[in-house]
Amino acid sequence: MKLHRILAGLGLMASVVSCTSDSPLLVGEAESGLKANAQSSSPSLVSGYFIKPTHNADDGGRLSSGMCYANIVFGGVYLDKQKPYPTIFVSGTGGGQADLYLSKSDFGPRVAHCVGTTSQQRPLYSPLQKFTYPWEKDDQTIVVTTMEKDVYGFKFIRTSSGNVGFNRARYDVEANSFGTTWEWESTRQAGIQLPKQLLRTAVAYKSPTQAKLWFLCYGVTGVSFDDPDPSVSEYGSDGIWKGTIPYGTVYCADLNLTTLKAENVRKVVNNDKIIGFPTSITDFHGVDDQHDGCLVVNKFGAIKYVGSDGTVDYIYDTGGEVLTNNSLVKQICATGRFSNNFITSGEGQALYYEFSGKFMPSGGPIYLPPKPLMVENGDLFFDSMPNPTVVDWDGDGVQDLVVGNSPGNIVWCKNYGSDLNPSFGDYEYICGPDGKPLCFRAGYYEVQGPQEACWGYIGPNVFDWNGDGLYDIVFGFNDGCIKYMLNEGTATAPRMGEAQDMYVDGVQLYGVWRQRPALARVDGRTYLMMFDTEERLHLYERSGNSTLIDRGVIRLTDGSVITGYLDPSLIADDRNYGVNGRKKLELADWNGDGKLDLVIGSCRQGSVPNPFTGLPNYDARGLQVIWLENKGDNHNFVFRWPRRMMFRGKHYNLGAHENSACVCTLGDCSDGPNMLVGVECGKIVFYQHDDLTWENDGTIETNFSITTGIEHDYGLY
């Protein structure tokens, strides 16, 4: 506990990210005999593994499909009609490419069967299992549905003539397989003609002789105003996006199940702007010979009902309010025939929506509150790109987890155990002064365009900012600003106030986007370290809640300025300004010499201390955590050349987007503080201090991933 007191005296806080898998993240077949964590008896913490929610362990963890940042439920069918929820088919996306699984020894879609409900009446599923399939592993356009008595996987394809046909494969339950070949159906001969660009499809069984086909098409496609000249902005001088926003429109057709030919292809609504930035479509079965139609979702969480009669409306909750999805949605799928229940999924949690059987006077269907899908023996999951901090959030003397994520929420997990042997429950939302869950998003003015308006990328650092003994939150997020929220509650019942700006010389403080500032209190002085607008590591000192004193840029022992950006020529070539920033900073005495070192959770493109020879270096194989040893003192920071973390002497792969490292005193800290690392897939990895070693050569060896012993290819970002 001595180390804990030292860290607390410095005001040291941390942050983390989260993910899910069927197997340990950093230990694969080559090291399957990994010893149990000898230092701690807690099943929550095993070095090199994701943290488990062991409080109410029978309730499992939230659904996640592997080392990927999006979890796509692309089918829900009732193989066992005695179960309360359907069997689901799941895939994933990660690393900036449409790849179902990034680990080469662990790829491909999965199936999970309902095993009942949790103590909170949430759907509970068996662990995800592989099945065989004929489609490409990176194909996310597959639709799984029941036709009469059989389950089929469908893939719709434009033919060389421009018409639309489809492949299908029947699912064999006993063999757990969709077969090895596709059946090319005769709809090709009928020729489904769609004048618009096809985005997503849905198939709905209606009767033994007929099914309905739904087609979500781009009605108006957005225009990118990218220009080779990096001085040209995609936004006009008025701050308005110069491209048009892509909108979706809906077509449908009747499928004759006897002839397998499409009939009566038609546009459902004479409007090309049914929904902006659409992502997916599914069927809505008629009720009392009315309300037949479809549901369309977009990446902002809006869900609209589009009736066959031309009605366009939202879906609603039981209180009559429009029901939106706060996760980052990429997929919507029906769950069984005629139920009108559905599942949404994407970069956030997968949610099950149950239809109430009622409609609003305007025609929109009414749904019950959604429930997250849970998996037996699952990991703690926080939605993509979590950023954790370890503090005693509820004042009971035991450290908890506080985590930010890409949807822009800040959540916390209560520790029902001890610091040495923690036992975490599922997360709960932290609320703002209005009593609603905290959610920070850039909105229309987003560096990568308004198509990412609902991505928050918040990096919170929980810290007693005003010195009153209560934990406040200081954070960076999507728009590059650094803000703080004071705790207006108590130590045992925190209540966050409004987010406030910080200023230096009267000018609002901001830097690069998606960063997490580092904080420390030394000898009564409070420091904030961050990357500034030129992506230079910069030190500021608190002088009042909203005012900072500029203490200048931070340098290496050779006198050079520490930067964290990408080779400028690469940005100029592809105009991808979003590759900069993203780093998560932590000040902590890692090596026990009494000086605060800098630990950085990195992003794949940006390299510290320069873009040409720094770490993790521009590379297609992922990223790691880097450590800069303090060779100055705790008021005059001078850092040694960065070194990257290795786990038991080997390099590893922690995704492509970014990770977030948090030095903490959970588990046995007799050899020094331990580390949590939040990963893009939404989970948090625990590392025992003595399992971590450091390299400083600036190169990446061929034994890069100890998960598989095989290098990963994450494709272009």
Side-chain angles (χ1 to χ4, degrees), residues 498-513:
E498 295 285 352
Q500 306 290 331
D501 292 321
M502 295 185 182
Y503 297 87
V504 178
D505 295 333
V507 178
Q508 185 181 14
L509 176 68
Y510 68 98
V512 289
W513 77 323

Side-chain angles (χ1 to χ4, degrees), residues 674-686:
N674 299 319
M675 185 178 291
L676 304 181
V677 179
V679 197
E680 66 183 23
C681 65
K683 300 180 184 179
I684 300 172
V685 196
F686 170 77

Side-chain angles (χ1 to χ4, degrees), residues 593-604:
D593 64 357
K595 299 177 183 180
L596 291 173
D597 308 312
L598 180 62
V599 177
I600 301 179
S602 58
C603 70
R604 194 187 74 193

Side-chain angles (χ1 to χ4, degrees), residues 41-55:
S41 61
S42 170
S44 285
L45 303 182
V46 178
S47 189
Y49 285 71
F50 295 120
I51 301 178
K52 294 282 187 183
T54 54
H55 181 71

Side-chain angles (χ1 to χ4, degrees), residues 616-653:
N617 211 349
Y618 191 83
D619 188 273
R621 293 173 292 181
L623 64 151
Q624 302 170 349
V625 173
I626 56 179
W627 171 50
L628 286 77
E629 183 182 3
N630 187 357
K631 305 303 287 186
D633 60 45
N634 289 332
H635 296 289
N636 300 284
F637 296 94
V638 180
F639 293 114
R640 180 180 173 178
W641 186 270
R643 288 171 278 179
R644 48 194 176 137
M645 190 179 85
M646 301 173 70
F647 178 67
R648 296 182 181 171
K650 295 185 178 181
H651 289 292
Y652 57 90
N653 188 326

Side-chain angles (χ1 to χ4, degrees), residues 94 290 300 393 679 709:
Q290 296 180 0
F300 306 139
W393 182 248
V679 197

Side-chain angles (χ1 to χ4, degrees), residues 653-670:
N653 188 326
L654 284 180
H657 286 84
E658 60 198 54
N659 59 45
S660 183
C662 165
V663 178
C664 71
T665 53
L666 291 175
D668 190 324
C669 296
S670 56

Side-chain angles (χ1 to χ4, degrees), residues 7 34 128 167 200 237 264 266 269 331 367 388 399 467 469 511 520 533 557 584 598 658 690:
L7 293 175
L34 175 68
L128 299 172
N167 289 346
R200 285 290 186 268
S237 59
N264 192 23
R266 58 208 182 270
V269 181
Q331 183 77 18
Y367 280 83
Q399 295 181 97
T533 54
T557 52
K584 311 301 186 288
L598 180 62
E658 60 198 54
D690 57 359

